Amino acid sequence: MDIVDFLSARLSEDEAAARTLLGDRTLSKSGAWYEQRLLLECEAKRHLIRIVESARQSALAAMVSGSGQDAVWIPQSLEWMEQSLAALALPYYDHPDFDQAWFRA
């Protein structure tokens, strides 16, 4: 499983849990605030993942095509992108699908 797929699945689980709790009429106002916040954080993380993944795909395409005249930036950029995705995956380190290699990224 690739890190983007892993993150997408975890965010879907977080969203489902938040929506389930928001449907609970016994949830306190502070609990409802937290669950709404969780939904917004999931959306923000999805947006960030799309940005990083788009940049990663563009860098890989430039590297493969050899079209970048100043291709020195590509490996450094790819490393930064991998570290960014790994940082987003860190809260899920105890999930069975978490790849320990991401932790070391």
Side-chain angles (χ1 to χ4, degrees):
M1 173 178 282
D2 131 308
I3 194 165
V4 172
D5 293 334
F6 174 82
L7 285 167
S8 295
R10 300 301 72 77
L11 291 173
S12 292
E13 291 170 357
D14 287 351
E15 287 171 335
R19 290 185 195 292
T20 297
L21 288 171
L22 282 169
D24 182 351
R25 293 188 184 274
T26 64
L27 188 64
S28 68
K29 283 189 177 192
S30 62
W33 175 88
Y34 178 80
E35 297 309 324
Q36 289 289 352
R37 176 72 176 259
L38 179 58
L39 290 173
L40 291 172
E41 286 184 23
C42 288
E43 183 54 35
K45 289 176 184 177
R46 283 188 192 282
H47 186 66
L48 184 57
I49 291 166
R50 283 191 298 269
I51 291 168
V52 172
E53 183 60 7
S54 177
R56 185 170 72 154
Q57 293 303 318
S58 294
L60 288 170
M63 189 169 74
V64 169
S65 71
S67 64
Q69 292 187 11
D70 187 19
V72 174
W73 63 270
I74 295 175
Q76 293 169 344
S77 295
L78 288 171
E79 182 179 340
W80 172 83
M81 292 174 220
E82 294 296 330
Q83 289 176 0
S84 298
L85 292 171
L88 289 171
L90 186 58
Y92 306 104
Y93 76 94
D94 59 346
H95 190 279
D97 292 334
F98 184 87
D99 185 337
Q100 291 299 314
W102 300 333
F103 189 65
R104 293 182 289 277

